[in-house]
Amino acid sequence: MEHQSFDFMEDRSAKSFYLIPVGRDEGLVSMEVLQSFCMAYFPGVQVKILPRLTIDASGDRMTVSYVKHTRRGPTNAIMELKSRRCHRYDKDKVPESHRQFAVDPLLNVLSHMLPDDGICLLALTMEDLYEGGTDSFCVGMAAGGSGAGIFSLCRYDPNFNSTEEPSRDRDRILLARSCKVMVHELAHMFGIDHCTFFQCCMNGSGHLEEDFSQPLHLCPIDLHKVQTFTGCDLEERYQLLQKFYKTHGFDE
C-alpha cells in the first residue's frame, strides 16, 4: 500500500472520512455503529457514509453501477466484476452458494468515487475477495494515491467456517474485529505505517490469527500521530471510547 504523508492536511477542503458498504448486507456490522466508533477513535474528523454499492447479478454476469467523479463532474458508470466460488483449499469450508470477487475491479470503481471533501474512502464488505488465481483469499487492498481502499470482513466472522460449531458471541466478536480493521486501515490511508515499537493497533500481521490477537488501542507513538492529525484532546478521546465500549459490551 502506498501511504500518504501528513502534507495533505494542508488542504482543508479534504476533511472527511468516507465509509461505504459493498455487496450483500447480511451479517455486516451496522455502518452507523462503525461510524460512531470511528468518530470516537479520530475525534474532530467528520465521518460520512455513502449509499451501499450493490452488486447486480444477471445470469453469470456480475456488475456494479456507480457515480464516477471526473474533472468534468459526476457521471454514471458500470463496471463488470470477476468472480468464482472459492479456491480449492476452501471448497470444504464454504457452502455451494459461496462466491468470491476479484478485488481489482472493485478497487478501480472505488478509486473514482471519493468525494471532493474526502480524505479517504474505505469500503467494507461481507463479500469474500481474492487477488489472483493462486490466492485463497485477499482481506483487502488500497489503491495507492487514490485515497480508496476495500476490506473484506468475511473471514473475520467467527462463523465463517461452516464445518465448525457456530460462535454464540458472534456479533460482539465481529464488531470488535471490524472496529479494529477499520481504524487500522484508515490510519494507513492518512499516512501511519505499521508500528514496530510496541503492541499496537498499527502492528502488521502475517495471518488472521495474529491479526485477531493484536490490541485495539494505539501505542504512545501512533497516538501522538493521531493527535497531530486530528488536534484532539486525549482525555476527551478516551471518554468517547469508554462510552462506546460500555454501550457495546467491550469488557476487555
Side-chain angles (χ1 to χ4, degrees):
M1 180 190 298
E2 180 181 329
H3 299 160
Q4 301 184 51
S5 72
F6 280 14
D7 293 343
F8 76 98
M9 291 167 55
E10 297 176 1
D11 179 8
R12 294 305 174 183
S13 65
K15 56 186 178 182
S16 301
F17 287 165
Y18 278 90
L19 305 175
I20 181 171
V22 173
R24 60 190 172 92
D25 59 358
E26 295 91 346
L28 185 64
V29 173
S30 163
M31 297 299 289
E32 287 74 22
V33 172
L34 293 176
Q35 178 188 40
S36 67
F37 180 72
C38 189
M39 292 172 69
Y41 209 86
F42 303 113
V45 177
Q46 297 181 44
V47 182
K48 302 176 182 179
I49 302 172
L50 293 179
R52 179 179 301 278
L53 187 64
T54 58
I55 297 175
D56 302 312
S58 178
D60 293 332
R61 187 169 184 258
M62 303 278 188
T63 61
V64 289
S65 300
Y66 64 104
V67 177
K68 183 176 183 179
H69 291 267
T70 68
R71 292 181 179 179
R72 297 181 179 180
T75 181
N76 294 325
I78 297 176
M79 172 69 75
E80 186 165 358
L81 305 179
K82 294 190 295 184
S83 65
R84 67 184 188 186
R85 177 176 173 258
C86 66
H87 192 277
R88 65 181 184 276
Y89 295 151
D90 295 323
K91 64 180 182 180
D92 295 326
K93 298 179 184 177
V94 298
E96 287 295 327
S97 59
H98 188 78
R99 63 183 181 182
Q100 278 186 308
F101 290 97
V103 68
D104 286 337
L106 284 167
L107 195 55
N108 189 5
V109 168
L110 294 165
S111 68
H112 296 290
M113 292 184 65
L114 181 64
D116 291 340
D117 68 336
I119 297 168
C120 55
L121 169 63
L122 180 62
L124 297 170
T125 183
M126 289 302 291
E127 304 290 356
D128 204 11
L129 303 176
Y130 70 97
E131 183 178 4
T134 60
D135 296 322
S136 174
F137 67 94
C138 171
V139 291
M141 187 177 293
S146 74
I150 183 169
F151 207 96
S152 171
L153 300 170
C154 176
R155 294 175 188 250
Y156 284 68
D157 187 336
N159 294 344
F160 168 75
N161 191 334
S162 61
T163 65
E164 296 179 352
E165 186 71 20
S167 170
R168 296 181 179 180
D169 201 18
R170 182 258 182 197
D171 290 346
R172 188 193 63 81
I173 293 172
L174 182 59
L175 174 59
R177 290 175 178 177
S178 299
C179 286
K180 183 166 63 174
V181 166
M182 175 183 65
V183 294
H184 179 104
E185 294 306 316
L186 286 172
H188 273 330
M189 293 168 76
F190 65 72
I192 298 179
D193 287 314
H194 282 145
C195 178
T196 58
F197 300 102
F198 301 97
Q199 282 194 310
C200 175
C201 182
M202 295 310 298
N203 291 148
S205 60
H207 51 80
L208 289 177
E209 289 303 320
E210 184 179 18
D211 192 329
F212 298 159
S213 69
Q214 290 169 348
L216 181 56
H217 289 293
L218 295 168
C219 72
I221 292 173
D222 287 320
L223 180 60
H224 179 67
K225 294 174 185 178
V226 166
Q227 185 182 30
T228 300
F229 171 73
T230 64
C232 68
D233 177 89
L234 292 183
E235 183 177 352
E236 179 185 1
R237 177 180 182 271
Y238 281 119
Q239 288 173 348
L240 291 170
L241 288 172
Q242 182 182 43
K243 181 179 179 181
F244 181 92
Y245 297 152
K246 286 184 176 180
T247 299
H248 296 285
F250 286 21
D251 299 323
E252 297 180 1

